[in-house]
Structure formats: structure tokens, C-alpha cells
Amino acid sequence: MTTPTDTPDETTDAADERTTLTFMCVRNAGRSQMATAFAVRERDRRGLGDRVEIVTGGTMPADGVHDVVVEALAEVGLDVNGRTPREIADETLTTSDFVATMGCSTLELDGVDTDDWDLDDPGERPIEEVRPIRDEIERRVVALFDERFGEYDDE
């Protein structure tokens, strides 16, 4: 709905500013779920809710998020308990602004910034081995947000 103070250009500009960040892997049960959780946190703490859409999925989704991933994220205050892995559609990928794969793809999409984050699958690993994977994913997500939206200042 357009209000009397909105001009068509303002409405178009707001829509054009929306950025879609997609995190995917094969099963959507580990690395991509961790990246998504950190991305939601970054979007929220930076006040980017209206500007950033976060999507996650897999090419062959698992039945559930790995228990060790739920545990590792809970240790840093993020709750993914109850999330269900989902399939990612080709259309979703081609309409994203950025797609991160998790060490399982050589995906190239015309007009889409893609990056393969070569990360170990945490699925069957003990928590001691998952923590460094989690921390590396957090580092990469924060760096992605810093690069695209400016460095975060929590003061």
C-alpha cells in the first residue's frame, strides 16, 4: 500500500535494497544450519531485518538437524532445536545475491556472488571437533556481514 508521502521511486528503492543470503549444503543438517543461525543473529543485532533475507536448504535434505550441531549452537546461545532441513530450489539460488556452499559444491550462478566454504561436515563428529567448525562458520558469517553491510559496532 502506498501512502500519500511515498513516491514510486522510494518504494522501488526500498525493494532494490533487499539482499538475499543463501547458505546451502547437501543435507542442510549441519554447516548450513549453523551459518543460517549466525546470519539471523547478525541480521538482528545489526537491525537489518527489513533489508536481509536469509535462506537455507540442501540438495538432499536430512530428516533433522544433527544433534551435535544443536548442542554446539546452544553453547553459544543459539537455538536451532526443532528446525527441519529443507530442499533448496534452483530458482532460490538464481535469485539470491550471495550463496555460500559448505565444501560440497563448485556452484557457479550467473549474476550471483557464490563462495564455497570448504568446511568439514560436523554430522558424525564429537562436540570437541564440531566447536572449531562452528567457530569458523561464525567468523565467516560475521566477515560476510561486515563486507556487505559495514563493520558491526556494538557500542
Side-chain angles (χ1 to χ4, degrees):
M1 183 169 123
T2 303
T3 61
T5 58
D6 288 339
T7 65
D9 290 340
E10 288 173 348
T11 304
T12 302
D13 289 346
D16 289 345
E17 289 182 21
R18 187 158 186 86
T19 300
T20 301
L21 306 176
T22 301
F23 302 95
M24 66 171 285
C25 60
V26 175
R27 295 167 55 199
N28 192 224
R31 297 162 288 184
S32 58
Q33 290 288 345
M34 287 193 275
T36 299
F38 285 118
V40 168
R41 183 199 67 190
E42 286 304 303
R43 177 189 64 192
D44 293 350
R45 78 180 187 177
R46 294 169 188 243
L48 298 170
D50 293 339
R51 292 183 50 206
V52 178
E53 177 183 11
I54 298 165
V55 179
T56 190
T59 54
M60 295 185 301
D63 292 332
V65 176
H66 300 303
D67 290 339
V68 71
V69 168
V70 173
E71 179 184 355
L73 289 172
E75 289 180 351
V76 295
L78 297 174
D79 182 9
V80 296
N81 199 20
R83 281 199 188 165
T84 303
R86 63 183 76 164
E87 189 168 351
I88 191 115
D90 289 343
E91 181 182 346
T92 300
L93 298 173
T94 59
T95 59
S96 296
D97 297 291
F98 173 82
V99 176
T101 57
M102 304 291 150
C104 50
S105 176
T106 56
L107 183 69
E108 290 187 30
L109 301 164
D110 289 336
V112 179
D113 186 11
T114 60
D115 194 7
D116 183 49
W117 294 356
D118 191 13
L119 301 162
D120 291 330
D121 185 347
E124 306 301 322
R125 296 177 184 271
I127 189 69
E128 296 78 21
E129 293 178 21
V130 173
R131 288 179 184 124
I133 298 167
R134 174 202 63 204
D135 295 345
E136 177 61 15
I137 290 171
E138 178 182 26
R139 185 194 68 72
R140 290 179 188 220
V141 168
V142 170
L144 172 66
F145 272 77
D146 285 350
E147 176 185 314
R148 291 189 170 265
F149 308 105
E151 289 193 23
Y152 177 67
D153 184 6
D154 60 359
E155 290 182 16

